[in-house]
Amino acid sequence: MPPFDVPEGHPFGPHNLPYGVFSLSDSDTRSVGVRLGDHVLDAAGAARALGSPYAALLAHTTLNPLLAAGRTAWSDVRRALTAWVTVPSHRETISPFFHPLDSVTLHLPFEVADYVDFYASENHARNVGQIFRPDSPDPLTPNWKHLPIGYHGRSGTVVVSGTDVVRPSGQRKAPADPAPVYGPSVRLDIEAEVGFVVGTPTRMGHPVPLSGFRDHVFGVTLLNDWSARDLQAWEYVPLGPFLGKSFATSVSPWITPLDALDEARVAPPSRTHDLLPYLDDSAEDPGGYDLRISVAVNGHVVAEPPFSTMYWTAAQQLAHMTVNGASLRTGDLYGSGTVSGPAADQRGSLLELTWNGRDPLDLPTGKRTFLEDGDEVTLTAWAPGANGTRIALGEVTGRIVPSPQ
Ligand code: CA
């Protein structure tokens, strides 16, 4: 039976309605879908059957046309979808357009334009500073409290949840080694992050102010920024992450619209430094999101990072990455940076959880410092909704397969 009886309190209930792209097992045709419970609704098919004016906007093989349509359209389509799945008179018409999740293949839901990754958790930045610069008087770099640090990543290697991750190879050189060696990474790690998906583009020379965040950002996805620490440590000075990151970035197949997360908005941590006006959010609506993330390795939860602890908000990140006049494209994706809370079991990377390998994790599948071939990492998250409900984000999972060399 189609999931009309999914209760309001279900984490994928009618108050959530994330968007994805699916194909049926007997077809190569990709369609925009909306998740309800353990089913996916063929959104364009339902729209056509109901004579909806949004049928053309939804009849595509990626979410990009919907993303480009802008905030008014996003709200209108969401309102329509909510009615379709909750008003009893629509049931008979849309029933044929529901498919059980286990009968479909989920695809990368949007064509990724540019990809940027930030470094917005103060706990993470302090942990990394202490691990890599133990002799430095301050684990934070002098710029950290003044701007959200980021770098441009590789959009072409953003993959959907469930895609295997091939262990990357590259150069590594420990400080005491006489020369670098080439080979498969021996310090393969994860970074638990939240990704923000840009819908409405901008023209070059037109920065997006803090107040423009909701006009340009469509929604969020869980994101795993796979990281080869040994490659990264040798290559990153002075220009930042490169091959240690660019081999794969995994995202959820479901994009949760910002409109579903209104109840989860929270104030970010108090600011310790005055901010330049374009980043000063003291008079803005709360820019943080209360997202409770879980990180599991081979099914065993190793950390529960709280996104509400992030120092820099997604609105500040968007303002910063456009303040120089750089334009936005529909499908731009930016990652929050590793989410790490203040407690030891809230750290969003193995680098921090094992303190660079010093303190191995004792998992049911064996001790781990970094990832072994065959390990599977899964990120899940939920946010508080109205009246005590939960909004689940789509999970992102990936398994490490051996290097071919
Ligand atoms: Ca990262």
Side-chain angles (χ1 to χ4, degrees), residues 119-360:
Y119 190 56
S121 160
E122 181 172 355
N123 299 297
H124 174 70
R126 286 188 180 280
N127 289 338
V128 171
Q130 286 172 28
I131 290 169
F132 287 128
R133 297 183 299 276
D135 300 326
S136 173
D138 188 347
L140 295 183
T141 50
N143 54 0
W144 204 91
K145 286 290 182 83
H146 297 280
L147 54 81
I149 294 174
Y151 69 96
H152 278 275
R154 192 167 189 84
S155 54
T157 51
V158 175
V159 295
V160 72
S161 174
T163 306
D164 284 345
V165 174
V166 178
R167 180 176 296 274
S169 290
Q171 283 197 27
R172 63 177 185 271
K173 178 190 169 304
D177 292 346
V181 296
Y182 172 84
S185 170
V186 296
R187 299 171 90 80
L188 185 53
D189 196 358
I190 58 148
E191 293 191 341
E193 305 195 18
V194 175
F196 291 83
V197 180
V198 171
T200 315
T202 61
R203 287 182 295 134
M204 283 177 69
H206 293 263
V208 178
L210 290 170
S211 60
F213 170 68
R214 292 171 68 82
D215 291 331
H216 290 276
V217 171
F218 174 81
V220 307
T221 179
L222 285 173
L223 183 152
N224 186 347
D225 175 23
W226 304 96
S227 299
R229 301 299 180 196
D230 39 1
L231 278 56
Q232 184 184 355
W234 171 229
E235 75 178 1
Y236 88 106
V237 178
L239 287 185
F242 189 38
L243 304 181
K245 301 276 194 176
S246 64
F247 56 94
T249 305
S250 298
V251 295
S252 164
W254 299 109
I255 309 301
T256 306
L258 288 186
D259 284 343
L261 296 172
D262 280 343
E263 299 289 331
R265 297 174 75 180
V266 292
S270 58
R271 308 309 185 181
T272 54
H273 291 59
D274 288 340
L275 295 174
L276 289 168
Y278 79 94
L279 291 172
D280 183 356
D281 61 354
S282 54
E284 300 288 329
D285 291 337
Y289 281 94
D290 181 5
L291 310 176
R292 325 281 177 92
I293 303 169
S294 283
V295 181
V297 178
N298 299 330
H300 181 78
V301 174
V302 297
E304 294 185 314
F307 190 72
S308 59
T309 60
M310 299 298 271
Y311 190 87
W312 295 104
T313 70
Q316 289 173 316
Q317 291 169 335
L318 189 71
H320 185 64
M321 72 190 219
T322 59
V323 75
N324 64 348
S327 52
L328 296 173
R329 292 195 289 171
T330 297
D332 281 357
L333 170 69
Y334 63 101
S336 60
T338 310
V339 184
S340 290
D345 61 357
Q346 294 179 325
R347 296 168 176 163
S349 68
L350 294 174
L351 173 74
E352 296 162 89
L353 287 165
T354 70
W355 212 253
N356 201 20
R358 185 192 70 188
D359 307 322

